[in-house]
Amino acid sequence: EKGREHEVFAVFKKWGLDASHVGQVIGDAKMRVLHHGQVVAEIPNEALTDDAPLYHRPMEPWICPPPKEKPASIQFGKKLDLTADFTKLLASPNICNKSWVYEQYDSMVQTNTVEGPGLEAGVIRVKGTDRGLAMALDGNGRWCYLDPKLGAMHAVAEAARNVACSGARPLAATNCLNFGNPEKPPIMQQFSEVIDGLTEACTALNTPITGGNVSFYNETLGEGIYPTPVIGIVGLLEDVHNAVQPNFDAAGHALLLLSGSPDNSQSDLETTIGSSEYAKEVLGAVWGKPPALDLTKEAALHQAMAELAELGLLESAKDVSEGGIATTLAEAGFAHGIGASVDLVSNGLPAELVVFAENASQIVISCVESNVEAIQQVAVKYGLSAQVIGKTVRETIEIRVDGRKVIGAPVAQLREAWQSALKRTLHAETAEHLVPEILQKS
């Protein structure tokens, strides 16, 4: 507001920074630059926006090397106990605990932090108000490698879903887009499809992109990285006291699966499971494509979560992502040593496809038993399902499929695998490099 410049200057001065008055907003649709009072540049706004020049670089269809169908050597439904596979999955690089990294930085600056790093979304309070801001980053390079457009849509949806899990309403996005050499027509095609996917998802979820950056030429020996859009979403909590935590905080709470995920046949899931962490880390193979995504249902899921938070019906909320619903249940219990007793319905599917599938638009929520009916009513209002799948219990994780136990272990045992994996791997790699050097010197 004109006349209040001195207030802005005072803030800059307080922090030892310089600020100058350089111009003003005008009614003309032009940008005009003056130097010592003389106009030295004048250009219509449209020339910098809608009429900006476009590059038309050569593009060729991106053909992803992995097979489209499940390899014949891989069979599901043969294992009766999946606990060992699950423990291995929890220790995998994309799922294991990352606190070794982020705890080296201060996440409590000015004591505004409500929910810190390592959770679904970080939440900070806006001092002087009841409001809070929730923020999340997400991206899955492997999914974009298999299908650049659909993978990019998932990146937006998951970041927004993580913000919604905190009870906030997603508002806007930023991005960091990482690719190989765009002078190679298939890589340029990856980039083009990713932009199309971001556009479609951000439009559907009403999260305009406010800024970002692109990094090209990320190659080693001529081999490009996976196309990896990393999406940041910020959302608003009108009352920060309504923020929903991701962790189970007590035994005896009901567990519900809030879902807008489309129904999948076994053939669909056998194709999409090939894009999962389970396929890569446990089965040692990658194939197929990412799971289907219904952006209308995804948007409804976010709206439902905001309403459930405002009504105070939730004890916790955590989305289903890497590692499937099994990983979601385990990670939600690690903070307080709370486990889960869950019975999932297979609908004729092998157990691996039930517990490790990374279906979109699903959130595991916990609540007191008396709130179950109210939560289900909100779910119906938004065209979602809210199925009771079990309850929180003390110290153990037990997952049954159609009544048959397929995963069972103490929370402490699973937490140890998840908690120590990154540090142990980094120390092992350091030792591997240092031992030959020490031996050589000796």
Side-chain angles (χ1 to χ4, degrees):
E1 182 181 344
K2 190 172 183 178
R4 299 186 64 185
E5 297 89 343
H6 64 283
E7 297 177 46
V8 177
F9 295 154
V11 174
F12 276 79
K13 183 178 180 180
K14 172 184 176 182
W15 295 102
L17 301 171
D18 294 325
S20 301
H21 179 196
V22 298
Q24 61 187 355
V25 178
I26 61 175
D28 297 342
K30 295 181 179 180
M31 185 185 74
R32 188 176 296 119
V33 181
L34 292 83
H35 182 64
H36 295 306
Q38 299 296 315
V39 176
V40 295
E42 187 172 87
I43 187 168
N45 292 347
E46 290 83 356
L48 300 173
T49 54
D50 297 341
D51 296 335
L54 298 176
Y55 288 108
H56 295 282
R57 304 188 71 94
M59 291 190 289
E60 293 177 3
W62 162 247
I63 300 174
C64 188
K68 298 296 183 184
E69 303 298 330
K70 176 179 70 67
S73 60
I74 293 177
Q75 300 294 320
F76 295 116
K78 302 297 184 182
K79 293 183 178 179
L80 297 179
D81 190 339
L82 301 175
T83 305
D85 285 352
F86 182 44
T87 304
K88 182 177 181 180
L89 192 59
L90 288 172
S92 63
N94 282 333
I95 293 178
C96 71
N97 180 264
K98 311 298 191 304
S99 61
W100 187 88
V101 177
Y102 62 73
E103 284 181 354
Q104 300 185 46
Y105 302 89
D106 184 2
S107 62
M108 301 297 290
V109 176
Q110 297 186 6
T111 66
N112 288 327
T113 303
V114 177
E115 295 287 355
L119 306 175
E120 295 302 274
V123 180
I124 62 171
R125 66 176 56 83
V126 180
K127 280 192 173 179
T129 76
D130 289 330
R131 288 180 161 186
L133 294 175
M135 295 156 282
L137 286 170
D138 272 292
N140 189 321
R142 185 170 61 255
W143 282 9
C144 290
Y145 177 68
L146 294 170
D147 187 325
K149 181 179 179 180
L150 181 55
M153 292 165 63
H154 273 290
V156 177
E158 186 175 356
R161 191 182 318 132
N162 283 335
V163 165
C165 281
S166 73
R169 297 180 184 273
L171 290 182
T174 186
N175 63 61
C176 176
L177 311 181
N178 308 281
F179 296 84
N181 184 353
E183 296 172 34
K184 297 177 179 179
I187 303 300
M188 189 63 201
Q189 181 74 30
Q190 289 179 350
F191 179 60
S192 178
E193 290 183 17
V194 163
I195 297 301
D196 290 343
L198 298 182
T199 300
E200 188 169 333
C202 287
T203 301
L205 301 181
N206 196 27
T207 53
I209 292 179
T210 60
N213 73 294
V214 181
S215 176
F216 282 129
Y217 301 98
N218 296 288
E219 294 194 350
T220 301
L221 301 176
E223 186 70 22
I225 65 167
Y226 283 178
T228 309
V230 178
I231 307 301
I233 297 285
V234 63
L236 178 67
L237 278 157
E238 289 293 348
D239 187 344
V240 74
H241 300 96
N242 290 334
V244 181
Q245 64 166 343
N247 301 313
F248 301 151
D249 62 359
H253 287 162
L255 292 173
L256 291 83
L257 181 63
L258 184 64
S259 176
S261 180
D263 293 330
N264 293 292
S265 65
Q266 180 165 339
S267 61
D268 290 336
L269 283 174
E270 286 188 350
T271 299
T272 60
I273 196 74
S275 69
S276 70
E277 289 295 318
Y278 174 71
K280 177 179 178 291
E281 296 295 334
V282 177
L283 303 179
V286 173
W287 70 89
K289 60 183 181 181
L293 174 63
D294 184 331
L295 289 170
T296 301
K297 291 288 189 181
E298 183 71 38
L301 185 67
H302 303 170
Q303 294 168 348
M305 283 299 302
E307 182 167 334
L308 291 170
E310 289 168 2
L311 293 173
L313 297 174
L314 305 179
E315 297 299 316
S316 71
K318 186 171 179 61
D319 83 315
V320 176
S321 55
E322 290 94 341
I325 192 170
T327 297
T328 301
L329 291 166
E331 289 183 337
F334 287 157
H336 304 301
I338 304 296
S341 176
V342 168
D343 198 345
L344 304 173
V345 178
S346 74
N347 293 318
L349 297 171
E352 298 96 321
L353 303 186
V354 178
V355 298
F356 297 134
E358 297 172 1
N359 297 324
S361 309
Q362 293 188 331
I363 298 174
V364 172
I365 58 179
S366 68
C367 68
V368 296
E369 289 281 355
S370 58
N371 287 343
V372 169
E373 184 176 351
I375 291 170
Q376 291 176 327
Q377 289 174 352
V378 172
V380 170
K381 173 182 173 181
Y382 289 98
L384 308 169
S385 65
Q387 177 188 3
V388 177
I389 58 173
K391 62 181 179 179
T392 57
V393 297
R394 295 188 182 280
E395 299 178 351
T396 61
I397 293 281
E398 184 173 295
I399 301 176
R400 298 176 298 280
V401 175
D402 296 335
R404 179 174 65 86
K405 185 171 74 172
V406 296
I407 291 175
V411 171
Q413 176 183 319
L414 296 174
R415 188 181 188 279
E416 170 60 23
W418 172 82
Q419 176 77 31
S420 63
L422 181 62
K423 187 175 181 180
R424 185 171 60 245
T425 300
L426 292 174
H427 284 180
E429 290 181 355
T430 301
E432 183 179 348
H433 291 306
L434 287 178
V435 169
E437 182 179 343
I438 293 170
L439 291 175
Q440 185 179 13
K441 289 180 178 179
S442 62

